[in-house]
Every structure is written in structure tokens, then in C-alpha cells.
Amino acid sequence: MRKQFAIFVLRWAATSVGVWLAVFIVTYINISKIDEITENKITFERFKKNERFLKDSDEHIKKMLKKAENLYHSVASLSLGLLTIEKKTIKLSEKYNISDFKLESTKDISPEKVPIIFSFNGDIKNSLYFLEEIQTGYPFLQFKEMTINVFPTHALFKVSLYYRYKIIEETTSVY
């Protein structure tokens, strides 16, 4: 009987060791699966968060890209861009009763940026409105420096700016 009991105890001990070994193996597998699932869930949540951010910021991003694009004047050549600016600013100067308007570009040309100088006469109020319209209507003209000589009947303005441009290739289609 003792022998049978001893065998029973040994079998019971071997079975319990086997069961506990199985429990530990299953627990180890479950922990690694839980870690994998948690990592996937975090990655998915980050993806969803980024997707929501892009969706919520889409209009703002488009506006900022458009604003950045407007900081450069797209032209076929630098001389054509300067001629366009000169014509537009002369027409604008007439709107504000500006006289003796001159646009001078310097020879100090760098890629995508050229120093230019506006000089003109006019009364201070209209001249400032003129400059404000240039600043808001032509974001590719960056103000650098301005000198104003005031006289009893008018003011003489000399404005240094940077003309930011981007050369684009014209595409022609054949039909």
C-alpha cells in the first residue's frame, strides 16, 4: 500500500509539475501576444491620431502652402518678371497720385532673389497707402529699407526691396 501511495504521489507530483510547466509556457506565449497586441494598438492609435490631425489641419496646411508659394513670383525670366512688376507698380502709383516713380534693379543678382529700389514723390498719406498695397498685394516683394525725405509740399521716398522670383519653364502643347 505504501508502494502504491508512493507511486501515486510521484505521479501526482509529475502531473502537477507538467501542469505548472504548461501554465508557464502558456503564460509566456500569452504575455508575448499581449505585448504584440498592445504594440499594434499603440501603432494604430498613433496612425489614427495623425490621420485626424491631417484631416483637421488640411485646410490650414493648404493655406500655408499657398502662402509660401505666393512668396515667390513665378516668371519665365527675371527680366520679364521685373518688367511685369514695373508695369503693375507704375499703374498702382497712378492710383495713389505718385509721381516720378522709378524702379531700379541692381546687378547683385542671386538665384531667386534680386535687390530692387523704388523711388517716387508723393504726399505721405497716399504714399503709405501705396506701400501698404504693395506689401499686401505683392508678397514676393520683401521690404528691406526705406528712407523718406519730407518737404513742405511732398515727400521723396526711396524703398529698398527684395524681389523673390522663381523661373518656371513654359510648356507648349501642340494641337
Side-chain angles (χ1 to χ4, degrees):
M1 181 89 134
R2 280 185 178 239
K3 192 175 185 182
Q4 285 179 340
F5 182 72
I7 293 174
F8 174 75
V9 169
L10 283 175
R11 284 184 186 167
W12 184 84
T15 304
S16 65
V17 167
V19 168
W20 279 109
L21 186 62
V23 166
F24 286 130
I25 290 171
V26 169
T27 301
Y28 176 77
I29 291 171
N30 281 343
I31 288 174
S32 63
K33 286 291 182 187
I34 288 170
D35 289 344
E36 183 181 333
I37 290 169
T38 304
E39 192 173 314
N40 288 341
K41 185 178 180 182
I42 290 170
T43 303
F44 181 74
E45 286 174 359
R46 276 191 204 133
F47 173 75
K48 281 300 199 185
K49 188 176 182 180
N50 288 341
E51 188 177 49
R52 275 193 310 274
F53 171 76
L54 289 175
K55 184 180 177 187
D56 293 343
S57 303
D58 186 47
E59 286 300 315
H60 182 67
I61 291 170
K62 285 179 183 175
K63 285 179 187 176
M64 293 304 290
L65 288 173
K66 181 70 174 166
K67 194 174 188 180
E69 185 180 299
N70 288 336
L71 291 177
Y72 289 89
H73 190 209
S74 298
V75 292
S77 70
L78 174 59
S79 56
L80 187 60
L82 289 171
L83 183 63
T84 303
I85 294 302
E86 185 174 25
K87 285 188 175 203
K88 287 184 176 186
T89 51
I90 286 173
K91 187 172 180 153
L92 189 61
S93 70
E94 291 169 357
K95 176 181 171 184
Y96 290 101
N97 297 320
I98 303 293
S99 60
D100 301 327
F101 182 84
K102 291 178 194 151
L103 183 145
E104 302 169 31
S105 65
T106 64
K107 301 293 180 201
D108 191 21
I109 297 173
S110 64
E112 300 185 345
K113 188 172 164 181
V114 176
I116 59 174
I117 298 171
F118 289 165
S119 56
F120 56 89
N121 290 314
D123 68 78
I124 292 179
K125 182 179 177 182
N126 283 338
S127 297
L128 291 177
Y129 284 137
F130 168 71
L131 291 172
E132 181 181 24
E133 192 160 335
I134 286 176
Q135 187 177 25
T136 56
Y138 303 94
F140 46 83
L141 293 176
Q142 177 186 14
F143 285 80
K144 179 182 169 189
E145 184 179 343
M146 179 171 38
T147 56
I148 305 171
N149 294 322
V150 180
F151 301 100
T153 58
H154 68 285
L156 176 63
F157 286 79
K158 187 173 183 180
V159 183
S160 298
L161 305 109
Y162 285 117
Y163 170 55
R164 295 180 295 208
Y165 66 98
K166 186 176 2 175
I167 303 293
I168 56 168
E169 293 182 27
E170 290 189 39
T171 56
T172 55
S173 58
V174 179
Y175 286 102

